[in-house]
Each structure stands twice: as structure tokens, then as C-alpha cells.
Amino acid sequence: MAPKVYIVIYSLYHHIYTLALEVQKGLVASGIDAKIFQVPETLSEEILTKMHAPPKPDVPVITVENLSEADGFLFGIPTRFGTMPAQIKSFLDSTGGLWAAGGLAGKFAGTFFSTASQHGGQETTAFTTITYFAHHGMIYVPLGFANPHLFDNSEVIGGSAYGAGTVANGDGSRQVSQKEKEIAITQGENFGKIVATYVKGKQ
């Protein structure tokens, strides 16, 4: 049975979802059974309409119970004021039962991001998410500078050593670039290889 990685996202304007699809490609290329889930929405339909939010991606909504099924997770996080949005936090805050039972200890975790600007907090979002992984005893896997596009200063490129990323503009008008997609694929490939090696060693 192939190792299993769940890509867990919140994506209001689909930038994170776009990256998630590329991350999934990289995972699959590494022999991983990779599925995309979204966390439950906390905003009402009325508020979402006022925000001109498009329909949600056609992926299942994850439950806390689903987390026990996977060997690792890549969390796609749109930054809000340099940290995760309420929707991600609400979901992670609901994992207390798994924490008490050690249900996620030894599982792998990684992160990728979307911000409005180049300095919108992709790295601080990683810092403030890692505390959850530490309390659960999860193994955090950063991207590093594994893709050469992360050294490219000729244009705006999201991502950092902590994970792939995109820069969406404050109004969401900038779409995920080809280079950002390639970085996301690299993250999926590298994360997948680590998880696959670990699972194979346990068998």
C-alpha cells in the first residue's frame, strides 16, 4: 500500500488550491497516495458573497478523524496578518483529542502559503504553525532552497525555505506563476520521498 499524504488547505480565492494541485503532482511522482482536503468554513454565505468569493474547490471537507489515516500532511495556508487564518486555527484547535492520545506523533508535516505581498508573512505563518506540530510530536519538513527559482530575484516569486508560496496582491488579482507552480511540485516530490522512505523502513 502506498504511503498516504493529505494536503489540507483553506483557499478563499483559489490561490492555495492552485498550489495544492501542483504539490499533489509532486507527491504522486514520488509514489504517494495524495489527497486534497479543505478545512471547514467559518464564514457565512452572506459574508462570502460580500467578499466576492468564488465557489469552494470541489474537494472534501476534512474531519479530525481523517488525520489518523495519513502518514503526513502538507498544510496550504493563506496568511492573515502574518499568521494562519481563523479557519485553519479553528480546525487545528479541534485536534485536542488526538493530542491527548498521541495520535499524530511521528507523522510528517509541511507548509505552503499565499500572501498579498512579498513581505506579507509567509515565514511568520510557518513559525506560528510549527507550534502545533511540536505539541503533537509531528516531524516538520521544510522545503529549503531545493528549487533554483527560490534564488531568482528577476521577478516576484513566492515561497521560502519553509515552503512553496505565491503572492496574490491584496485584491487577489495576481495568479500563481509558472515558477511558483514548479516550486510547489518540488516540495511535493521532496516531501513525498521522505515520507515514502520512512514508511518503507517501518514495513
Side-chain angles (χ1 to χ4, degrees):
M1 183 179 297
K4 190 174 293 186
V5 171
Y6 287 170
I7 305 165
V8 183
I9 67 170
Y10 178 70
S11 192
L12 189 60
Y13 297 109
H14 291 210
H15 293 80
I16 285 289
Y17 178 55
T18 300
L19 285 176
L21 292 172
E22 303 304 316
V23 168
Q24 185 180 41
K25 292 177 185 176
L27 288 166
V28 170
S30 294
I32 300 294
D33 177 8
K35 297 179 181 177
I36 302 174
F37 292 85
Q38 56 189 326
V39 299
E41 181 58 84
T42 61
L43 298 176
S44 68
E45 286 299 325
E46 179 184 5
I47 296 298
L48 291 171
T49 299
K50 290 180 178 179
M51 295 174 72
H52 305 290
K56 292 291 183 186
D58 185 20
V59 296
V61 174
I62 196 164
T63 66
V64 171
E65 292 73 26
N66 291 142
L67 296 177
S68 299
E69 304 163 359
D71 301 296
F73 309 93
L74 281 163
F75 289 89
I77 308 172
T79 292
R80 299 292 186 271
F81 301 102
T83 188
M84 69 184 75
Q87 292 82 355
I88 296 278
K89 188 174 191 305
S90 176
F91 177 71
L92 292 177
D93 283 348
S94 70
T95 60
L98 286 174
W99 166 77
L104 299 181
K107 294 181 185 288
F108 293 86
T111 47
F112 59 98
F113 314 96
S114 175
T115 51
S117 66
Q118 293 183 75
H119 308 290
Q122 294 191 17
E123 293 182 346
T124 57
T125 300
F127 297 159
T128 51
T129 306
I130 288 171
T131 58
Y132 283 91
F133 305 151
H135 279 256
H136 276 289
M138 301 172 78
I139 303 164
Y140 181 65
V141 182
L143 171 62
F145 282 79
N147 186 292
H149 294 322
L150 289 166
F151 294 96
D152 185 351
N153 292 316
S154 66
E155 60 183 276
V156 173
I157 299 175
S160 72
Y162 300 92
T166 189
V167 178
N169 284 339
D171 60 0
S173 60
R174 181 183 181 273
Q175 299 304 305
V176 181
S177 72
Q178 182 60 36
K179 290 181 180 179
E180 290 168 341
K181 290 179 179 180
E182 292 174 11
I183 293 169
I185 291 173
T186 297
Q187 183 171 12
E189 290 175 343
N190 291 2
F191 188 88
K193 289 174 184 176
I194 290 171
V195 173
T197 300
Y198 178 81
V199 170
K200 185 177 180 180
K202 287 178 63 180
Q203 291 173 345

